Amino acid sequence: MATVTFDHATRVYPGTERPAVDALNLHIEDGEFLVLVGPSGCGKSTSLRMLAGLEDVNAGRILIGDRDVTDVQPKDRDIAMVFQNYALYPHMTVADNMGFALKIAGTPKADIRKRVEEAAQILDLTQYLDRKPKALSGGQRQRVAMGRAIVRQPQVFLMDEPLSNLDAKLRVQTRTQIASLQRRLGVTTVYVTHDQTEALTMGDRIAVLKDGLLQQVGTPREMYDAPQNVFVAGFIGSPAMNIGTFPVLDGHASLGRARVAVDRAVIGQFTEDDKNHITIGFRPEALDVVPGGTPDAIPVVVNIVEELGSDAFVYGSLTNEFGAASAVHSGAGDAQVIVRVDPRQVPAKGETIGVRIRPGEQHLFHAGSGERF
Amino acid sequence: MSPTPQRLQITAANPDPALLDLPWDVPLEQWPAETLAALPRGISRHIVRFARLSGRVIAIKEIGETVAYREYELLRQLGRLDVPSVEPVGVITGRRDPDGEPLEAVLITQHLQFSLPYRSLFSQSLRPDTATRLIDALAVLLVRLHLVGFYWGDVSLSNTLFRRDAETFAAYLVDAETGDLHDRLSDGQRAYDLDVARVNIIGELMDLQAGEFLDDEVDAVAIGDALAERYTDLWRALTEVESFGYGERWRVQARIDRLNDLGFDVGELDIMTDVDGTTVRIQPKVVDAGHHSRRLMRLTGLDVGENQARRLLNDLDEYRAATDRQAEDEAFVAHDWLTEVFEPAVRRVPKELRKKLEPAQIYHELLDHRWYLSQQQRRDVPMKEAAKSYVKNILPGRPDEQSILGVQASDLRETDVIPRVDDEIIG
Ligand SMILES: Nc1ncnc2c1ncn2[C@@H]1O[C@H](COP(=O)(O)OP(=O)(O)OP(=O)(O)O)[C@@H](O)[C@H]1O
Ligand SMILES: Nc1ncnc2c1ncn2[C@@H]1O[C@H](COP(=O)(O)OP(=O)(O)OP(=O)(O)O)[C@@H](O)[C@H]1O
Ligand SMILES: [Mg+2]
Ligand SMILES: [Mg+2]
């Protein structure tokens, strides 16, 4: 068991100027499941590969426990890359498939059997140990592959988009399995994905990267409830948060006809960069549909209603009455908002509905820097 | 509602219209036997099948769409970099069965002719030096891949194909799925690839032992370790900095000769002297494999394996000496050797036997056979006579290796039945 520490870890690829990972500081607790997430090219795989020893570290250090492994060979780091290559051997039993790497390492036979049995217990494979892989289902074979990493009892598991080759259904299933398995084993795990839903559902904590820079680390709840900047706000959550930048007048941000009160303490923190504007984020579920004519309501023209059974979402456009239509964007595009509505009372396509941000559920960011107030 | 019809999208540099005739609306596992070519395969997670297409054989692998395109692209790049690998034909997406259910995308590669999967070579009656030769070939392949910046990620015997190359083997990459091309590999990447290779090879051999296809006496771990050693030695020979005194400048040429001997050409050599000029340091910067095959190609136009080329070049040298033409331009002599010696010998093989081995491999065996006859009869047996005897006594006993594989007699201790290795798909 061990902690993992990125200490100003930097990777600059030869022939490039901008670091792919720029002075990454990240401390991962013993036994923690940490997910590195971000859009394509943000540097998540590079970070993982630096930890694995596959990518040189140009500046800074990487520690596993108290040990500086920056210059240690991959095989001496006591880590396991799970799911990289898991072809099973047809003539070996499940037990041998799980234990052969220990045999190579010269582990005594009795030890191997013990570790294999323990792993099989956790993976629910005990009754199959003496069978051949041929007799197993697809899911069981995948668990055997996991078993191979588990029996090595590494300090850290590394997984880079392990579910990307699976179809949607199997992906959801395997996601839950990996997460619960990791909790039972308690092995520190670093997991890379570009999918924020995967990150939210699996991680004890999530680290969001963008352009090689760490944006925020926190629990799924913290990331969702208190995104530290506009990027994280827009990245975490599905459907994505609605975000707009508006002028502030008389203690109110004006969203066209509608007005949202802004705390005096917040206005006090305005900087020159903000140019007297504020960026407000509001999640689809932070909006109430209000009766027509309600003061301060934001009019939304319904384009599509997405009904998901327990939820329904309106994808709508802001009307011209709303002076700053183009100032808003959402997961659906510019001048678009997404509103969660009561699935038993969905509006019709083409209808105009009024919505209001539920008090206290807006997120406020500097219009200049994008940082949270 | 009627089922969504199939709308195939074929991505290929040179699409063969006959591709459209294959049953893409059927899962690969259920393809009719008459479409398939029953050739042996290595272990794989995906479904892989061989099919006949316009007189050749293609390998088809069902795999996720993005991964299929990625692997296709990587194989193309490897081809351009001149690394021995299977040749990509294309990617097909948009497959659906008659009920409109989507089917997985496929990656198509050209079946590598005369290639031998390891499971047919490592067998119960494996000659110890066959193992060594296969491992040597894989080490050379891995070094070549690493030199061009290719990180494999899943080096294994299953992901390698072997082809005879005179008395040795040449290895080809077959599975680029986990690979990545970089400008330059870090030591960590190389070390990891090598470690994965070692563990996978040992695992694959233990599997053959578990299935009783390989004698338990064979030391699987030692074979895995041998790969690591061979790789490390070769990498060092190709990249190491060497220092020596100014008076020992002959060592520059010695280094180049040594690399040539290992089968590499030196494209660029860094030579540095220290400030007072007493020591010289040299380091090869660009090395290209195929020193002998390139030379033979230049002289004769023959495109053959590196060690086959080595053998043919020796024969050419002998011919030159025997005909007393050392003073002449090598290219002229080579032309005559080709038309007077090589081609007539290979042409003596009747058509129906030509599928047994590649022509250069046949010629290599012919030379062996002539040596053997000459020893036995204590006289110089002429090529014509040797060829006649070879075609009559040796070649018919060889298995067909163009696409149906077997084990060559000389790889076996005893020439009893070839052990059959089942191809299971583990996924
Ligand atoms: N070997 C390399 N040489 C040069 N640049 C590289 C190399 N590998 C990655 N990069 C660049 O470094 C940046 C980070 O890449 P990285 O693969 O870490 O991102 P990622 O977040 O994992 O993206 P993805 O989700 O697309 O895999 C990108 O701009 C990428 O183009
Ligand atoms: N072009 C080819 N020529 C000859 N044999 C081939 C070719 N392509 C595939 N094969 C055979 O099929 C086997 C499986 O192919 P491949 O390794 O690409 O599948 P895979 O499912 O990606 O494997 P893995 O489980 O290692 O990821 C190989 O071991 C090889 O024996
Ligand atoms: Mg493979
Ligand atoms: Mg593969």
Side-chain angles (χ1 to χ4, degrees), chain B residues 9-239:
Chain B
Q9 155 122 28
I10 304 187
T11 306
N14 282 308
D16 178 345
L19 270 179
L20 292 169
D21 300 334
L22 291 170
W24 298 116
D25 58 345
V26 177
L28 198 48
E29 236 177 336
Q30 293 160 21
W31 277 25
E34 64 268 23
T35 327
L36 297 177
L39 308 176
R41 298 177 298 269
I43 303 171
S44 68
R45 284 168 294 168
H46 303 97
I47 310 279
V48 177
R49 292 288 181 274
F50 303 113
R52 299 181 194 288
L53 180 83
S54 317
R56 47 187 185 144
V57 177
I58 53 171
I60 307 170
K61 161 156 97 171
E62 273 182 352
I63 187 168
E65 184 172 325
T66 32
V67 197
Y69 283 120
R70 215 184 91 84
E71 192 170 352
Y72 174 70
E73 205 36 62
L74 266 176
L75 287 173
R76 278 172 53 120
Q77 285 173 321
L78 287 177
R80 280 196 287 266
L81 289 167
D82 212 16
V83 189
S85 46
V86 296
E87 190 188 320
V89 173
V91 171
I92 298 187
T93 59
R95 296 172 64 207
R96 281 180 190 274
D97 72 8
D99 295 330
E101 286 299 314
L103 297 174
E104 212 156 29
V106 297
L107 168 71
I108 305 171
T109 53
Q110 198 77 254
H111 177 262
L112 187 66
Q113 278 200 350
F114 297 104
S115 67
L116 307 161
Y118 79 99
R119 291 208 285 173
S120 321
L121 289 166
F122 277 100
S123 58
Q124 218 149 21
S125 34
L126 175 80
R127 277 196 345 189
D129 63 328
T130 302
T132 317
R133 287 178 295 152
L134 291 176
I135 290 302
D136 280 357
L138 183 50
V140 172
L141 175 64
L142 194 55
V143 165
R144 287 185 64 179
L145 288 167
H146 285 178
L147 282 172
V148 301
F150 185 79
Y151 165 74
W152 196 339
D154 192 9
V155 193
S156 69
L157 293 170
S158 282
N159 289 341
T160 310
L161 291 169
F162 296 94
R163 232 179 189 179
R164 292 187 191 291
D165 183 11
E167 73 286 6
T168 67
F169 290 99
Y172 291 73
L173 172 143
V174 53
D175 185 348
E177 191 190 343
T178 45
D180 257 327
L181 256 177
H182 300 257
D183 285 342
R184 216 191 127 256
L185 292 188
S186 68
D187 288 346
Q189 281 161 327
R190 293 193 304 108
Y192 184 78
D193 246 4
L194 195 57
D195 195 45
V196 167
R198 180 179 164 272
V199 172
N200 279 344
I201 289 168
I202 299 172
E204 287 167 313
L205 294 181
M206 285 180 170
D207 182 53
L208 288 183
Q209 287 174 329
E212 296 183 4
F213 297 108
L214 179 64
D215 204 319
D216 280 339
E217 302 280 288
V218 173
D219 186 346
V221 175
I223 295 180
D225 289 343
L227 173 88
E229 273 162 39
R230 275 289 293 155
Y231 171 95
T232 310
D233 288 351
L234 187 55
W235 183 265
R236 195 172 290 149
L238 292 177
T239 60

Side-chain angles (χ1 to χ4, degrees), chain A residues 11 13-14 16 18-21 38-47 49 55 160-161 192-194 209 212, chain B residues 181-184 189:
Chain A
R11 173 66 181 150
Y13 283 108
T16 64
R18 209 171 47 81
V21 174
S40 179
C42 70
K44 6 180 232 302
S45 294
T46 303
S47 306
R49 292 202 299 260
E55 213 65 80
D160 193 346
E161 304 261 10
V192 163
T193 178
H194 67 278
L209 289 173
Chain B
L181 256 177
H182 300 257
D183 285 342
R184 216 191 127 256
Q189 281 161 327

Side-chain angles (χ1 to χ4, degrees), chain A residues 68-366:
Chain A
D68 184 341
V69 295
T70 316
D71 298 314
V72 174
Q73 285 294 311
K75 70 173 164 40
D76 301 324
R77 292 190 179 200
D78 209 2
I79 49 165
M81 306 265 271
V82 189
F83 294 118
Q84 283 298 80
N85 18 39
Y86 63 89
L88 301 184
Y89 300 118
H91 306 297
M92 287 191 199
T93 60
V94 167
D96 287 342
N97 262 291
M98 279 162 63
F100 84 93
L102 296 179
K103 194 164 152 193
I104 300 175
T107 313
K109 259 206 172 102
D111 275 7
I112 298 180
R113 188 70 200 181
K114 190 162 148 272
R115 288 205 216 170
V116 166
E117 277 171 5
E118 281 169 10
Q121 181 101 43
I122 293 170
L123 293 163
D124 225 355
L125 288 170
T126 307
Q127 72 210 84
Y128 304 103
L129 278 180
D130 296 316
R131 299 204 198 160
K132 301 280 164 66
K134 209 177 181 173
L136 304 185
S137 72
Q140 288 166 333
R141 285 176 193 177
Q142 215 174 17
R143 297 215 294 279
V144 176
M146 268 195 248
R148 212 182 258 183
I150 293 171
V151 297
R152 287 178 43 205
Q153 303 180 341
Q155 305 253 35
V156 187
F157 283 142
L158 307 185
M159 307 191 199
D160 193 346
E161 304 261 10
L163 310 182
S164 56
N165 291 347
L166 305 181
D167 64 47
K169 201 172 129 210
L170 198 56
R171 192 158 27 195
V172 173
Q173 250 173 35
T174 315
R175 185 161 94 191
T176 330
Q177 272 177 10
I178 294 179
S180 74
L181 181 66
Q182 192 275 341
R183 302 243 135 107
R184 264 182 290 166
L185 291 168
V187 178
T188 314
T189 299
V190 186
Y191 185 104
V192 163
T193 178
H194 67 278
D195 178 345
Q196 58 86 32
T197 311
E198 215 166 284
L200 285 173
T201 51
M202 297 182 82
D204 291 323
R205 281 192 308 155
I206 301 173
V208 176
L209 289 173
K210 180 187 173 239
D211 298 338
L213 292 166
L214 181 63
Q215 304 293 305
Q216 184 177 356
V217 201
T219 63
R221 195 68 280 146
E222 285 162 4
M223 307 302 278
Y224 194 82
D225 289 347
Q228 282 310 300
N229 61 37
V230 172
F231 176 76
V232 176
F235 188 75
I236 296 285
S238 171
M241 190 187 279
N242 304 294
I243 298 170
T245 300
F246 313 99
V248 176
L249 266 175
D250 302 334
H252 286 81
S254 43
L255 291 69
R257 251 187 8 192
R259 278 151 47 98
V260 175
V262 179
D263 211 52
R264 241 197 299 160
V266 169
I267 296 174
Q269 294 171 43
F270 271 29
T271 63
E272 204 154 306
D273 252 7
D274 292 333
K275 303 207 171 76
N276 231 17
H277 278 58
I278 191 163
T279 299
I280 303 183
F282 42 103
R283 297 204 179 273
E285 60 270 34
L287 292 168
D288 283 326
V289 180
V290 292
T294 309
D296 282 0
I298 308 166
V300 174
V301 181
V302 178
N303 297 331
I304 309 175
V305 183
E306 186 183 50
E307 297 199 58
L308 301 170
S310 58
D311 274 321
F313 290 96
V314 164
Y315 289 75
S317 312
L318 297 168
T319 70
N320 285 335
E321 275 179 275
F322 186 91
S326 60
V328 177
H329 61 89
S330 71
D334 285 342
Q336 305 280 309
V337 285
I338 305 174
V339 185
R340 187 172 73 183
V341 297
D342 181 347
R344 274 167 296 267
Q345 270 188 313
V346 295
K349 208 170 134 180
E351 198 179 314
T352 301
I353 56 172
V355 301
R356 211 162 49 181
I357 304 175
R358 217 173 289 142
E361 296 203 12
Q362 71 272 43
H363 301 262
L364 303 179
F365 305 97
H366 284 280

